Amino acid sequence: MRGRGFSAPALLLSDQLLRTGTYRLACDPMVKDFYKNLLDNLSDAVYFVDKDRSIQYWNKGAEVLTGYEASEIVGRRCFDNLLMHVDHGGVNMCKHLCPLAKSMARCKLQEGEIFLRHRDGHRIPVLVKATPVQDESGEVIGAVEVFQDNSSKVAITQRIAELQKMALLDPLTELGNRRYIEAHLQGALDQMRRYGWPCGLLFVDLDHFKEINDIHGHEVGDRALRMVARTLLNTARSFDFVGRWGGEEFVVVLVNVGDEDRLVSIAERVRVLLGASSLRSGSSRVRLTVSMGAALAHEDDSLDSLITKADELMYHSKRTGRNRVTTRLDASLD
């Protein structure tokens, strides 16, 4: 048997000593001090329970990690909710999901990552290894749990998630950034080819954004970008994807869009709702409009070709008066 992250002495205990040594610790005074000293000098936390899950031993490592001294713990049952073990979802494990109880019932090693409550009230992530203890006849007489602080792993995992979020999200609007958009759009194109699910792309550009910044200041400009982002999120369907391409440009990846009429309908709804939006700047209100390019994906489209097509259609909308949707270079809607 192998454990993750435990010291060699702790693994030795769980694999060999705990199957015979614990019984002798309880029954043979001649070796009691030897095993107690060995366990007390482990850096890992260790405790024993009997068949009724009454705690019979609590080592120094457990005292350090949990804040509870042996005198406060020994004689209590592990399901008295002193440590209040919970899983990653916050579900209490002491009654029906206890690793110690499962190890005794199944007569085999149980491992897991859980959270226990420190004496001071805060939660500590721990890596747990529970092993049944048998007497010389093979009968289960209790179990032992070896556990260690798992904070570093949890912190690393959280930091990775934060870095991934930073790498994929635009910090101002909290929409997906260009990298995230490209990954999502590529997935939509792959699904179109594999399953025949049609997809499309809206390229959205906020009109007169430079003037908004110059006249009202960058704080109002940032508010305008956030308002466009929220409006796009609120008008998009739940299965569509909204991202910020950069600057004042946004992208909506549409899946299961059907045909050009459906594409135009969605784009026009977005344009009209954004055109009805405004934000206050001092005593005046700043009204917003957008120019859009709307493109359906075809079988021969690549990621780059579809983006280029939608981008060109958007610029056509800007050149022909703004506040409109273009689906073909010879036609625009306003």
Side-chain angles (χ1 to χ4, degrees):
M1 294 180 292
R2 296 185 181 275
R4 294 174 293 167
F6 289 99
S7 63
L11 289 175
L12 177 64
L13 281 171
S14 59
D15 293 344
Q16 298 177 7
L17 174 61
L18 294 175
R19 295 189 178 279
T20 56
T22 305
Y23 177 70
R24 296 178 68 191
L25 178 60
C27 302
D28 189 346
M30 295 183 63
V31 295
K32 180 176 180 179
D33 287 342
F34 171 78
Y35 282 121
K36 186 176 186 301
N37 288 335
L38 175 61
L39 292 168
D40 277 343
N41 281 284
L42 287 176
S43 59
D44 293 319
V46 181
Y47 70 101
F48 304 160
V49 298
D50 61 18
K51 289 181 69 173
D52 297 321
R53 292 163 63 191
S54 174
I55 297 171
Q56 302 298 305
Y57 172 76
W58 186 261
N59 82 336
K60 297 292 185 184
E63 290 184 341
V64 171
L65 184 56
T66 67
Y68 286 102
E69 295 184 3
S71 59
E72 300 174 275
I73 292 289
V74 172
R76 304 286 295 271
R77 292 174 298 181
C78 69
F79 55 84
D80 284 343
N81 262 341
L82 220 62
L83 300 177
M84 294 184 66
H85 287 26
V86 297
D87 62 15
H88 286 275
V91 176
N92 190 306
M93 303 180 70
C94 293
K95 294 294 184 182
H96 306 296
L97 301 172
C98 174
L100 285 167
K102 288 166 71 174
S103 72
M104 288 189 283
R106 300 174 184 178
C107 201
K108 64 179 184 180
L109 171 74
Q110 299 293 313
E111 291 182 284
E113 296 179 8
I114 66 175
F115 292 80
L116 61 80
R117 187 180 65 178
H118 189 273
R119 194 177 193 279
D120 293 336
H122 60 276
R123 287 287 176 185
I124 303 173
V126 293
L127 188 63
V128 166
K129 178 171 180 170
T131 307
V133 177
Q134 299 165 284
D135 63 16
E136 293 177 339
S137 67
E139 181 181 352
V140 174
I141 60 170
V144 62
E145 184 171 295
V146 182
F147 58 102
Q148 68 175 201
D149 192 340
N150 200 31
S151 299
S152 59
K153 179 182 176 183
V154 172
I156 290 170
T157 302
Q158 290 173 342
R159 182 58 178 157
I160 289 172
E162 290 171 2
L163 290 172
Q164 288 174 332
K165 181 178 178 180
M166 290 169 61
L168 295 175
L169 295 185
D170 168 58
L172 177 65
T173 63
E174 297 187 345
L175 297 179
N177 61 16
R178 182 178 300 202
R179 188 177 184 183
Y180 202 173
I181 293 167
E182 289 177 341
H184 201 90
L185 180 56
Q186 186 61 61
L189 289 170
D190 291 342
Q191 288 180 335
M192 178 188 70
R193 296 188 183 97
R194 187 175 301 127
Y195 305 114
W197 297 343
C199 65
L201 189 65
L202 303 183
F203 228 97
V204 183
D205 186 274
L206 179 57
D207 294 331
H208 305 295
F209 182 64
K210 184 178 184 301
E211 287 84 348
I212 293 173
N213 273 331
D214 290 345
I215 296 170
H216 301 281
H218 289 282
E219 189 273 334
V220 174
D222 287 348
R223 286 169 53 204
L225 292 173
R226 285 193 290 266
M227 190 175 75
V228 171
R230 287 195 298 270
T231 303
L232 287 172
L233 281 173
N234 291 335
T235 54
R237 300 168 301 173
S238 61
F239 41 82
D240 294 329
F241 179 84
V242 178
R244 184 185 179 194
W245 189 249
E248 66 270 33
E249 294 179 340
F250 297 83
V251 164
V252 183
V253 180
L254 304 168
V255 296
N256 198 25
V257 71
D259 53 25
E260 188 172 293
D261 288 342
R262 182 61 177 149
L263 178 72
V264 169
S265 174
I266 295 170
E268 275 296 295
R269 183 174 75 245
V270 170
R271 185 188 68 83
V272 170
L273 287 172
L274 280 170
S277 303
S278 65
L279 53 88
R280 184 171 294 281
S281 174
S283 60
S284 62
R285 297 201 69 85
V286 180
R287 300 200 175 275
L288 307 178
T289 63
V290 293
S291 298
M292 300 175 62
L296 276 178
H298 300 290
E299 285 291 330
D300 59 348
D301 268 321
S302 66
L303 178 72
D304 290 338
S305 70
L306 183 58
I307 291 172
T308 299
K309 186 188 333 181
D311 189 42
E312 289 176 349
L313 292 169
M314 181 271 291
Y315 275 106
H316 186 268
S317 290
K318 294 188 83 67
R319 288 192 300 267
T320 54
R322 295 186 172 86
N323 189 24
R324 62 188 62 207
V325 177
T326 300
T327 56
R328 294 184 300 274
L329 289 179
D330 59 347
S332 63
L333 303 168
D334 53 28

